[in-house]
Amino acid sequence: MYTKSVVLFLAEKDFDEQEFLVSKKVLVSNNFNVFICSDTNSVCIGNNGLKVKNDIILPNLNHANFAGIIIIGGRGIVNYFDNPKLKSSIQDFNKNKKIIAAICAAPVIIAKSGILEGKEAACNLNYKKELEKEAVVFSNDNIVETKNIITAQNSIDSSMFISKTIMAIQAANSKKY
């Protein structure tokens, strides 16, 4: 059932392993089906060398199969700030009132997709200016929830970030039935 399926987007290189591992562990322990998405046909390599094979290549990502998308941060995610397919996928998730979550630098991609304009969001302090260039109000809060969008500052916020994401998915699912 798609209400318990989520997709984690990883950069091909230098994704934040802590954000990924904590998010995946908490999701699986809450009985979610977790699918890994990236734009590579090989493996994604984390900032400390962790190798993760993706289940879905970005061009094949379909919002209809998932309750939400979670974009993991890290140094490598900056290479996706202007990725048209990822931004389009985020817009599709948003149009269909699905949960969209991002941590660290990844909230900038949501901002660049145009769905955070005039709204408040959190991101790693190093990317504050990138967020504000998109007419998004930077928040010093560790985690910000704005309707169906959850943003977080840093990997130390991973547990709280993924817990809030799960609660948002459950709340969204309960409204549908």
Side-chain angles (χ1 to χ4, degrees):
M1 180 185 261
Y2 87 88
T3 58
K4 290 292 266 188
S5 295
V6 294
V7 62
L8 290 177
F9 182 85
L10 298 180
E12 180 180 3
K13 292 186 177 105
D14 290 325
F15 65 86
D16 188 294
E17 293 178 15
Q18 180 180 349
E19 294 167 10
F20 167 71
L21 292 170
V22 168
S23 295
K24 184 173 181 193
K25 179 182 177 185
V26 174
L27 286 161
V28 169
S29 71
N30 280 276
N31 300 313
F32 277 84
N33 300 312
V34 179
F35 295 85
I36 308 303
C37 178
S38 190
D39 64 337
T40 181
N41 284 319
S42 80
V43 295
C44 301
I45 301 172
N47 56 337
N48 291 312
L50 176 69
K51 293 179 180 172
V52 178
K53 178 74 178 120
N54 61 324
D55 302 301
I56 304 162
I57 192 154
L58 184 57
N60 296 334
L61 179 60
N62 183 343
H63 72 273
N65 297 326
F66 303 100
I69 183 170
I70 301 160
I71 307 166
I72 301 297
R75 291 185 311 269
I77 203 67
V78 300
N79 298 321
Y80 297 85
F81 280 4
D82 293 310
N83 184 295
K85 178 57 183 153
L86 184 53
K87 290 191 295 187
S88 173
S89 292
I90 290 167
Q91 291 165 347
D92 288 343
F93 274 83
N94 191 56
K95 281 182 213 151
N96 290 280
K97 298 177 176 48
K98 306 284 181 107
I99 300 302
I100 303 163
I103 187 168
C104 189
V108 173
I109 301 167
I110 299 174
K112 287 181 171 276
S113 75
I115 64 172
L116 272 176
E117 189 173 326
K119 297 178 181 152
E120 200 172 358
C123 73
N124 182 287
L125 193 55
N126 295 328
Y127 301 97
K128 174 184 178 184
K129 286 189 167 106
E130 289 290 327
L131 204 66
E132 292 174 335
K133 279 184 202 172
E134 304 302 320
V136 177
V137 179
F138 174 80
S139 172
N140 280 316
D141 292 341
N142 292 1
I143 299 168
V144 175
E145 190 172 350
T146 305
K147 293 191 179 188
N148 63 317
I149 303 168
I150 297 140
T151 55
Q153 283 194 13
N154 299 302
S155 56
I156 58 169
D157 303 315
S158 296
S159 291
M160 180 72 78
F161 164 73
I162 201 62
S163 294
K164 281 200 177 275
T165 302
I166 288 170
M167 287 187 287
I169 290 170
Q170 291 168 335
N173 286 337
S174 69
K175 291 176 188 171
K176 291 178 185 173
Y177 303 105

